[in-house]
Amino acid sequence: MKTFLAILFIMLFPLSALAGETIRVLLKDDQQRLEVKVDGEVICYDGQGNLMEMHLDEAMLELETIDGALHINGIPVPRPPLKIKAIAGQMGVNGIRLQSELEIRKKPGGLVQAIALLDMEEYLKGVVPAEASPKWELEVLKAQAVAARTYALYKKKSQAGGDYDVTADVNSQVYSGNGLRSPISDRAVDETAGLVLTYDGKLINAMFHGCCGGETEDVGAVFGKPVEYLKSVEGMCPPHGSKMQWEKWFSASEIQDALERKGYRIGKVRDIRVAAQSDSDRVTRLVITHSKGELSMKGNDFRKAMGWEVVPSTRFAVKKTKGGRYRFEGKGSGHGVGLCQLGAREMGLQGKNFEEILLHYYTDVKIEPYRPDM
Ligand SMILES: [Zn+2]
Protein backbone atom coordinates (compact mmCIF):
# COMPACT_ATOMS: atom_id res chain seq x y z
CA MET A 1 0.00 0.00 0.00
CA LYS A 2 2.81 2.37 0.88
CA THR A 3 4.50 1.74 -2.44
CA PHE A 4 1.24 2.32 -4.23
CA LEU A 5 0.73 5.63 -2.45
CA ALA A 6 4.29 6.71 -3.21
CA ILE A 7 3.83 5.95 -6.90
CA LEU A 8 0.50 7.73 -6.92
CA PHE A 9 2.10 10.74 -5.28
CA ILE A 10 4.89 10.89 -7.86
CA MET A 11 2.35 10.62 -10.66
CA LEU A 12 0.21 13.39 -9.23
CA PHE A 13 3.06 15.68 -8.27
CA PRO A 14 3.65 17.32 -11.66
CA LEU A 15 -0.05 18.15 -11.83
CA SER A 16 -0.27 19.58 -8.33
CA ALA A 17 2.87 21.68 -8.88
CA LEU A 18 0.95 23.84 -11.33
CA ALA A 19 -2.48 23.61 -9.75
CA GLY A 20 -3.83 27.11 -9.35
CA GLU A 21 -1.18 28.64 -11.61
CA THR A 22 -2.77 31.24 -13.86
CA ILE A 23 -1.74 33.45 -16.76
CA ARG A 24 -2.94 36.80 -18.13
CA VAL A 25 -3.24 36.78 -21.92
CA LEU A 26 -3.73 39.97 -23.94
CA LEU A 27 -6.46 39.18 -26.48
CA LYS A 28 -7.06 42.59 -28.02
CA ASP A 29 -5.34 45.92 -27.51
CA ASP A 30 -5.97 49.61 -28.27
CA GLN A 31 -9.57 49.31 -29.42
CA GLN A 32 -12.01 52.22 -29.77
CA ARG A 33 -14.78 49.74 -29.16
CA LEU A 34 -14.61 46.13 -28.18
CA GLU A 35 -17.21 43.42 -28.59
CA VAL A 36 -17.57 40.37 -26.39
CA LYS A 37 -19.91 37.69 -27.71
CA VAL A 38 -21.73 35.82 -25.00
CA ASP A 39 -22.99 32.33 -25.53
CA GLY A 40 -24.30 31.48 -22.09
CA GLU A 41 -24.30 33.42 -18.87
CA VAL A 42 -21.81 35.93 -17.49
CA ILE A 43 -21.46 38.08 -14.39
CA CYS A 44 -19.55 41.35 -14.11
CA TYR A 45 -17.70 42.96 -11.29
CA ASP A 46 -15.64 46.08 -10.92
CA GLY A 47 -12.02 46.61 -9.96
CA GLN A 48 -12.79 46.27 -6.26
CA GLY A 49 -14.58 42.98 -6.73
CA ASN A 50 -18.09 44.42 -6.32
CA LEU A 51 -20.69 42.61 -8.37
CA MET A 52 -22.32 44.92 -10.87
CA GLU A 53 -26.05 44.52 -10.81
CA MET A 54 -27.14 44.45 -14.40
CA HIS A 55 -28.83 42.24 -16.90
CA LEU A 56 -26.28 40.47 -19.02
CA ASP A 57 -28.28 38.05 -21.05
CA GLU A 58 -27.55 40.01 -24.21
CA ALA A 59 -25.65 38.09 -26.84
CA MET A 60 -23.20 40.94 -27.34
CA LEU A 61 -21.43 43.11 -24.81
CA GLU A 62 -20.06 46.39 -26.08
CA LEU A 63 -17.16 47.99 -24.27
CA GLU A 64 -16.02 51.53 -24.95
CA THR A 65 -14.86 54.64 -23.18
CA ILE A 66 -17.26 57.57 -23.24
CA ASP A 67 -15.93 60.88 -21.88
CA GLY A 68 -13.00 59.03 -20.35
CA ALA A 69 -15.13 56.48 -18.48
CA LEU A 70 -15.34 52.79 -19.33
CA HIS A 71 -18.87 51.73 -20.34
CA ILE A 72 -20.48 48.34 -20.84
CA ASN A 73 -23.55 48.41 -23.08
CA GLY A 74 -23.80 52.12 -22.33
CA ILE A 75 -23.60 51.70 -18.53
CA PRO A 76 -20.59 53.29 -16.80
CA VAL A 77 -18.25 51.01 -14.84
CA PRO A 78 -17.62 52.83 -11.55
CA ARG A 79 -14.19 51.43 -10.74
CA PRO A 80 -12.35 49.82 -13.67
CA PRO A 81 -10.95 47.42 -14.64
CA LEU A 82 -14.13 45.54 -15.38
CA LYS A 83 -14.17 41.79 -14.96
CA ILE A 84 -16.51 39.57 -16.94
CA LYS A 85 -16.76 35.98 -15.85
CA ALA A 86 -18.42 33.17 -17.78
CA ILE A 87 -20.45 31.11 -15.33
CA ALA A 88 -22.04 29.02 -18.08
CA GLY A 89 -21.17 28.70 -21.76
CA GLN A 90 -18.47 30.62 -23.56
CA MET A 91 -17.38 34.12 -24.51
CA GLY A 92 -15.77 35.23 -27.75
CA VAL A 93 -13.26 38.06 -28.23
CA ASN A 94 -11.43 38.72 -31.47
CA GLY A 95 -12.47 35.32 -32.79
CA ILE A 96 -11.12 33.54 -29.71
CA ARG A 97 -13.69 31.50 -27.82
CA LEU A 98 -13.05 30.77 -24.19
CA GLN A 99 -14.66 29.97 -20.89
CA SER A 100 -12.88 31.96 -18.25
CA GLU A 101 -12.63 35.45 -16.92
CA LEU A 102 -11.98 38.60 -18.95
CA GLU A 103 -10.51 41.81 -17.70
CA ILE A 104 -11.39 44.96 -19.64
CA ARG A 105 -8.99 47.82 -19.04
CA LYS A 106 -9.16 51.45 -20.00
CA LYS A 107 -6.18 52.78 -21.93
CA PRO A 108 -5.02 56.32 -22.62
CA GLY A 109 -6.72 58.03 -25.56
CA GLY A 110 -10.12 56.46 -24.93
CA LEU A 111 -8.99 52.99 -25.95
CA VAL A 112 -9.74 49.65 -24.32
CA GLN A 113 -7.98 46.31 -24.06
CA ALA A 114 -9.16 42.80 -23.20
CA ILE A 115 -7.09 40.40 -21.13
CA ALA A 116 -8.08 36.78 -20.45
CA LEU A 117 -7.32 35.35 -17.02
CA LEU A 118 -6.72 31.67 -17.59
CA ASP A 119 -5.69 28.55 -15.80
CA MET A 120 -2.17 27.77 -17.08
CA GLU A 121 -2.89 24.23 -18.31
CA GLU A 122 -6.14 25.36 -19.99
CA TYR A 123 -4.18 28.12 -21.68
CA LEU A 124 -1.62 25.60 -22.97
CA LYS A 125 -4.42 23.51 -24.48
CA GLY A 126 -5.23 26.54 -26.62
CA VAL A 127 -1.56 27.13 -27.54
CA VAL A 128 -0.30 23.65 -28.54
CA PRO A 129 -2.80 23.07 -31.42
CA ALA A 130 -2.20 26.62 -32.71
CA GLU A 131 1.59 26.32 -32.65
CA ALA A 132 1.89 22.70 -33.81
CA SER A 133 -0.44 20.70 -36.03
CA PRO A 134 -2.62 18.15 -34.21
CA LYS A 135 -1.68 15.84 -37.11
CA TRP A 136 1.89 15.65 -35.84
CA GLU A 137 3.19 12.88 -33.59
CA LEU A 138 2.16 12.98 -29.94
CA GLU A 139 5.81 13.25 -28.83
CA VAL A 140 6.27 16.40 -30.94
CA LEU A 141 3.15 17.94 -29.41
CA LYS A 142 4.47 17.02 -25.96
CA ALA A 143 7.76 18.78 -26.74
CA GLN A 144 5.75 21.81 -27.88
CA ALA A 145 3.67 21.68 -24.69
CA VAL A 146 6.74 21.69 -22.43
CA ALA A 147 8.39 24.50 -24.42
CA ALA A 148 5.16 26.56 -24.39
CA ARG A 149 4.63 26.00 -20.65
CA THR A 150 8.21 27.03 -19.88
CA TYR A 151 7.96 30.08 -22.13
CA ALA A 152 4.69 31.17 -20.50
CA LEU A 153 5.98 30.77 -16.94
CA TYR A 154 9.23 32.54 -17.85
CA LYS A 155 7.27 35.48 -19.33
CA LYS A 156 4.96 35.54 -16.32
CA LYS A 157 7.98 35.99 -14.05
CA SER A 158 9.63 38.63 -16.21
CA GLN A 159 6.39 40.61 -16.81
CA ALA A 160 5.28 40.46 -13.16
CA GLY A 161 4.65 44.21 -12.84
CA GLY A 162 2.69 44.59 -16.12
CA ASP A 163 -1.01 44.37 -16.95
CA TYR A 164 -0.57 41.05 -18.77
CA ASP A 165 1.95 38.21 -19.11
CA VAL A 166 1.75 37.25 -22.78
CA THR A 167 -0.04 38.26 -25.97
CA ALA A 168 -2.25 35.81 -27.89
CA ASP A 169 -0.31 36.26 -31.14
CA VAL A 170 3.13 35.52 -32.61
CA ASN A 171 4.72 38.22 -30.46
CA SER A 172 4.49 35.67 -27.64
CA GLN A 173 2.99 32.36 -28.74
CA VAL A 174 -0.30 31.89 -30.55
CA TYR A 175 -3.31 31.19 -28.29
CA SER A 176 -6.47 30.09 -30.08
CA GLY A 177 -8.88 29.60 -27.17
CA ASN A 178 -11.06 26.52 -27.51
CA GLY A 179 -11.26 26.84 -31.29
CA LEU A 180 -8.51 24.43 -32.35
CA ARG A 181 -8.47 22.10 -29.36
CA SER A 182 -8.19 18.41 -30.17
CA PRO A 183 -7.93 15.24 -28.07
CA ILE A 184 -4.29 14.66 -29.05
CA SER A 185 -3.08 18.18 -28.22
CA ASP A 186 -5.01 18.10 -24.92
CA ARG A 187 -3.32 14.79 -24.22
CA ALA A 188 0.12 16.28 -24.94
CA VAL A 189 -0.53 18.95 -22.29
CA ASP A 190 -1.96 16.45 -19.77
CA GLU A 191 0.84 13.90 -20.21
CA THR A 192 3.50 16.55 -19.59
CA ALA A 193 1.51 18.35 -16.87
CA GLY A 194 3.75 20.64 -14.83
CA LEU A 195 6.97 19.74 -16.68
CA VAL A 196 9.29 22.63 -17.56
CA LEU A 197 12.79 23.22 -18.92
CA THR A 198 15.44 24.57 -16.58
CA TYR A 199 19.07 25.61 -16.76
CA ASP A 200 20.99 25.89 -13.53
CA GLY A 201 17.73 25.36 -11.62
CA LYS A 202 15.97 28.30 -13.31
CA LEU A 203 13.25 28.41 -15.98
CA ILE A 204 14.68 28.98 -19.43
CA ASN A 205 13.43 31.41 -22.07
CA ALA A 206 12.18 28.53 -24.23
CA MET A 207 12.09 30.29 -27.59
CA PHE A 208 10.93 28.39 -30.66
CA HIS A 209 10.27 29.12 -34.32
CA GLY A 210 8.72 27.65 -37.49
CA CYS A 211 11.73 26.38 -39.39
CA CYS A 212 15.41 27.18 -38.99
CA GLY A 213 16.40 26.28 -42.56
CA GLY A 214 19.34 24.05 -41.61
CA GLU A 215 20.87 25.13 -38.31
CA THR A 216 19.26 26.98 -35.43
CA GLU A 217 20.66 30.39 -34.45
CA ASP A 218 22.68 31.43 -31.43
CA VAL A 219 20.42 33.87 -29.58
CA GLY A 220 23.28 36.35 -29.24
CA ALA A 221 23.45 36.82 -33.02
CA VAL A 222 19.78 37.92 -33.20
CA PHE A 223 19.02 39.59 -29.91
CA GLY A 224 22.49 40.67 -28.82
CA LYS A 225 22.92 38.83 -25.55
CA PRO A 226 24.29 35.27 -25.62
CA VAL A 227 22.55 32.66 -23.44
CA GLU A 228 24.14 29.30 -22.54
CA TYR A 229 21.15 27.15 -23.50
CA LEU A 230 20.23 28.93 -26.78
CA LYS A 231 23.09 27.96 -29.05
CA SER A 232 23.22 27.07 -32.72
CA VAL A 233 22.53 23.34 -33.26
CA GLU A 234 21.72 21.12 -36.24
CA GLY A 235 18.18 21.96 -37.39
CA MET A 236 17.00 18.41 -38.22
CA CYS A 237 14.41 19.88 -40.61
CA PRO A 238 13.61 18.29 -43.98
CA PRO A 239 15.62 19.78 -46.89
CA HIS A 240 12.59 20.69 -49.03
CA GLY A 241 9.29 22.42 -48.61
CA SER A 242 7.84 25.90 -48.87
CA LYS A 243 8.98 26.97 -45.41
CA MET A 244 12.46 25.65 -46.05
CA GLN A 245 13.12 27.81 -49.11
CA TRP A 246 11.50 31.05 -50.16
CA GLU A 247 11.93 33.87 -52.62
CA LYS A 248 10.54 37.40 -52.29
CA TRP A 249 10.69 40.35 -54.67
CA PHE A 250 10.46 44.00 -53.69
CA SER A 251 10.71 47.23 -55.64
CA ALA A 252 12.93 50.03 -54.33
CA SER A 253 9.87 52.07 -53.39
CA GLU A 254 8.22 49.17 -51.53
CA ILE A 255 11.29 48.92 -49.31
CA GLN A 256 11.52 52.67 -48.88
CA ASP A 257 7.82 52.95 -47.98
CA ALA A 258 7.94 50.10 -45.46
CA LEU A 259 10.98 51.55 -43.69
CA GLU A 260 9.59 55.10 -43.72
CA ARG A 261 6.37 53.87 -42.12
CA LYS A 262 8.46 52.48 -39.27
CA GLY A 263 10.19 55.82 -38.76
CA TYR A 264 13.45 55.26 -40.63
CA ARG A 265 14.81 58.29 -42.48
CA ILE A 266 15.51 57.00 -45.91
CA GLY A 267 15.52 58.31 -49.50
CA LYS A 268 15.18 56.43 -52.76
CA VAL A 269 16.75 52.98 -52.40
CA ARG A 270 19.77 52.51 -54.71
CA ASP A 271 21.41 49.38 -53.35
CA ILE A 272 21.14 46.81 -50.57
CA ARG A 273 23.99 44.65 -49.37
CA VAL A 274 24.57 42.20 -46.58
CA ALA A 275 27.33 43.67 -44.38
CA ALA A 276 27.59 40.93 -41.75
CA GLN A 277 26.36 37.39 -41.20
CA SER A 278 26.20 35.07 -38.21
CA ASP A 279 27.93 31.67 -38.14
CA SER A 280 24.67 30.10 -39.32
CA ASP A 281 24.48 32.39 -42.37
CA ARG A 282 21.81 34.75 -41.08
CA VAL A 283 22.02 38.44 -41.90
CA THR A 284 23.08 40.32 -38.80
CA ARG A 285 23.69 43.63 -40.56
CA LEU A 286 22.31 45.11 -43.74
CA VAL A 287 23.43 48.34 -45.43
CA ILE A 288 20.98 50.20 -47.64
CA THR A 289 22.42 52.88 -49.91
CA HIS A 290 19.80 55.51 -50.72
CA SER A 291 19.53 59.00 -52.23
CA LYS A 292 20.13 60.69 -48.86
CA GLY A 293 22.98 58.49 -47.64
CA GLU A 294 23.41 55.06 -46.08
CA LEU A 295 21.25 53.20 -43.61
CA SER A 296 22.89 50.43 -41.61
CA MET A 297 20.49 48.19 -39.71
CA LYS A 298 20.35 44.86 -37.93
CA GLY A 299 18.96 41.98 -39.98
CA ASN A 300 16.30 41.37 -37.37
CA ASP A 301 15.24 45.04 -37.37
CA PHE A 302 14.90 44.93 -41.16
CA ARG A 303 12.62 41.90 -40.86
CA LYS A 304 10.60 43.59 -38.15
CA ALA A 305 10.19 46.75 -40.24
CA MET A 306 9.20 44.89 -43.42
CA GLY A 307 6.88 42.53 -41.52
CA TRP A 308 7.72 39.19 -39.90
CA GLU A 309 5.72 37.31 -42.55
CA VAL A 310 6.87 39.51 -45.45
CA VAL A 311 10.51 38.56 -44.89
CA PRO A 312 10.11 35.09 -43.33
CA SER A 313 13.65 34.86 -41.87
CA THR A 314 17.01 36.65 -41.79
CA ARG A 315 18.66 33.71 -43.50
CA PHE A 316 18.67 35.31 -46.94
CA ALA A 317 20.80 36.66 -49.78
CA VAL A 318 19.75 39.80 -51.65
CA LYS A 319 20.38 40.74 -55.28
CA LYS A 320 19.45 43.80 -57.29
CA THR A 321 18.02 42.76 -60.65
CA LYS A 322 18.27 44.56 -63.99
CA GLY A 323 14.77 45.94 -63.60
CA GLY A 324 15.78 47.68 -60.39
CA ARG A 325 13.93 45.26 -58.15
CA TYR A 326 15.42 43.33 -55.24
CA ARG A 327 15.31 39.57 -55.05
CA PHE A 328 15.53 38.04 -51.57
CA GLU A 329 16.28 34.34 -51.56
CA GLY A 330 15.99 32.75 -48.16
CA LYS A 331 15.63 29.69 -46.01
CA GLY A 332 13.43 28.93 -43.03
CA SER A 333 10.86 30.97 -41.13
CA GLY A 334 11.10 32.75 -37.82
CA HIS A 335 14.08 33.99 -35.79
CA GLY A 336 15.74 30.58 -35.80
CA VAL A 337 16.42 30.51 -32.05
CA GLY A 338 15.64 27.49 -29.85
CA LEU A 339 13.32 24.69 -30.95
CA CYS A 340 12.72 24.37 -34.70
CA GLN A 341 9.12 23.18 -35.09
CA LEU A 342 9.60 21.48 -38.47
CA GLY A 343 12.81 19.88 -37.23
CA ALA A 344 11.00 18.67 -34.10
CA ARG A 345 8.34 17.17 -36.32
CA GLU A 346 11.01 15.37 -38.33
CA MET A 347 12.56 14.00 -35.12
CA GLY A 348 9.09 12.78 -34.11
CA LEU A 349 8.73 10.98 -37.43
CA GLN A 350 12.08 9.30 -36.74
CA GLY A 351 10.66 7.97 -33.46
CA LYS A 352 12.34 10.36 -31.03
CA ASN A 353 10.49 11.13 -27.79
CA PHE A 354 9.74 14.57 -26.39
CA GLU A 355 12.73 14.55 -24.03
CA GLU A 356 15.13 13.77 -26.90
CA ILE A 357 13.60 16.52 -29.02
CA LEU A 358 13.85 19.17 -26.28
CA LEU A 359 17.37 18.19 -25.19
CA HIS A 360 18.49 18.48 -28.80
CA TYR A 361 17.37 22.08 -29.27
CA TYR A 362 18.05 23.48 -25.80
CA THR A 363 21.64 22.96 -24.71
CA ASP A 364 22.44 21.45 -21.27
CA VAL A 365 18.92 21.86 -19.89
CA LYS A 366 16.86 19.66 -17.58
CA ILE A 367 13.22 18.65 -17.83
CA GLU A 368 11.62 18.68 -14.39
CA PRO A 369 8.36 19.45 -12.54
CA TYR A 370 7.78 23.17 -11.99
CA ARG A 371 8.45 24.72 -8.61
CA PRO A 372 7.65 28.36 -7.82
CA ASP A 373 11.29 29.08 -6.87
CA MET A 374 12.56 28.29 -10.39
ZN1 LIG B 1 15.02 23.53 -38.60
Side-chain angles (χ1 to χ4, degrees):
M1 191 61 191
K2 262 185 186 163
T3 327
F4 172 72
L5 275 178
I7 291 168
L8 193 69
F9 178 72
I10 290 164
M11 282 173 65
L12 286 175
F13 180 71
L15 207 92
S16 61
L18 266 178
E21 193 71 48
T22 56
I23 187 155
R24 301 167 301 165
V25 184
L26 179 69
L27 298 182
K28 197 83 181 153
D29 204 6
D30 292 338
Q31 296 299 294
Q32 300 278 358
R33 200 165 143 276
L34 193 88
E35 288 179 346
V36 176
K37 279 187 192 159
V38 177
D39 174 16
E41 222 179 309
V42 296
I43 52 168
C44 291
Y45 42 102
D46 70 12
Q48 290 178 349
N50 301 311
L51 197 66
M52 289 181 66
E53 286 187 32
M54 53 192 297
H55 258 296
L56 288 171
D57 48 6
E58 285 115 301
M60 186 76 79
L61 304 179
E62 289 175 7
L63 292 311
E64 60 189 326
T65 54
I66 303 170
D67 296 332
L70 182 64
H71 283 64
I72 175 167
N73 288 6
I75 302 162
V77 178
R79 289 163 292 269
L82 169 75
K83 285 192 178 171
I84 309 172
K85 190 174 186 176
I87 49 174
Q90 299 194 85
M91 295 184 284
V93 182
N94 196 23
I96 295 176
R97 287 168 66 76
L98 67 170
Q99 181 177 19
S100 68
E101 196 171 303
L102 278 180
E103 187 170 279
I104 310 294
R105 302 185 79 94
K106 206 172 71 161
K107 300 235 359 222
L111 302 174
V112 290
Q113 68 178 182
I115 296 161
L117 308 172
L118 298 162
D119 168 78
M120 182 65 81
E121 299 291 301
E122 283 292 301
Y123 161 71
L124 292 171
K125 287 176 182 176
V127 171
V128 172
E131 283 288 354
S133 169
K135 289 180 186 148
W136 293 0
E137 282 61 35
L138 176 65
E139 291 301 316
V140 181
L141 300 180
K142 284 162 75 173
Q144 179 68 67
V146 175
R149 181 181 297 109
T150 308
Y151 181 87
L153 286 162
Y154 179 89
K155 285 286 162 191
K156 185 178 172 177
K157 290 226 152 135
S158 53
Q159 308 287 328
D163 290 338
Y164 57 87
D165 303 313
V166 289
T167 63
D169 60 14
V170 292
N171 289 311
S172 297
Q173 48 192 7
V174 180
Y175 168 70
S176 59
N178 294 334
L180 296 174
R181 276 179 70 164
S182 72
I184 190 170
S185 53
D186 276 9
R187 196 176 146 200
V189 174
D190 288 338
E191 286 189 12
T192 61
L195 291 180
V196 292
L197 294 156
T198 62
Y199 181 89
D200 223 359
K202 293 284 168 200
L203 288 171
I204 71 164
N205 182 6
M207 298 173 74
F208 53 86
H209 60 277
C211 172
C212 65
E215 298 85 33
T216 69
E217 181 61 297
D218 187 299
V219 71
V222 193
F223 299 105
K225 196 168 162 244
V227 175
E228 293 87 338
Y229 52 79
L230 293 173
K231 291 193 191 307
S232 177
V233 301
E234 194 191 337
M236 312 301 283
C237 28
H240 304 292
S242 61
K243 277 199 174 177
M244 187 65 185
Q245 273 167 327
W246 52 264
E247 192 180 283
K248 298 268 181 172
W249 293 74
F250 304 105
S251 67
S253 60
E254 278 171 338
I255 294 166
Q256 183 185 351
D257 290 350
L259 294 177
E260 268 179 345
R261 267 200 300 277
K262 294 290 148 90
Y264 289 94
R265 294 163 137 239
I266 185 170
K268 195 170 167 12
V269 175
R270 299 221 166 108
D271 194 27
I272 302 176
R273 66 183 169 85
V274 173
Q277 278 180 316
S278 69
D279 291 342
S280 69
D281 292 339
R282 286 178 176 82
V283 176
T284 51
R285 190 151 288 278
L286 201 67
V287 173
I288 302 175
T289 311
H290 55 89
S291 55
K292 295 177 189 166
E294 253 187 13
L295 172 66
S296 167
M297 63 195 299
K298 284 184 183 169
N300 198 50
D301 290 341
F302 177 74
R303 232 192 110 209
K304 188 178 179 182
M306 293 296 289
W308 299 120
E309 309 291 329
V310 177
V311 178
S313 75
T314 57
R315 195 171 184 150
F316 62 73
V318 55
K319 234 183 182 162
K320 186 177 180 177
T321 63
K322 276 184 186 160
R325 299 179 80 206
Y326 294 87
R327 188 176 76 207
F328 287 72
E329 255 184 311
K331 281 184 180 176
S333 65
H335 49 58
V337 179
L339 181 141
C340 165
Q341 289 168 318
L342 281 195
R345 193 211 172 178
E346 198 66 13
M347 289 182 78
L349 287 171
Q350 291 165 9
K352 299 281 193 286
N353 64 30
F354 79 97
E355 287 104 334
E356 289 170 309
I357 295 170
L358 291 167
L359 297 179
H360 172 74
Y361 290 107
Y362 302 108
T363 307
D364 297 334
V365 298
K366 274 189 186 161
I367 302 166
E368 51 185 332
Y370 175 69
R371 291 187 318 271
D373 64 332
M374 282 172 165

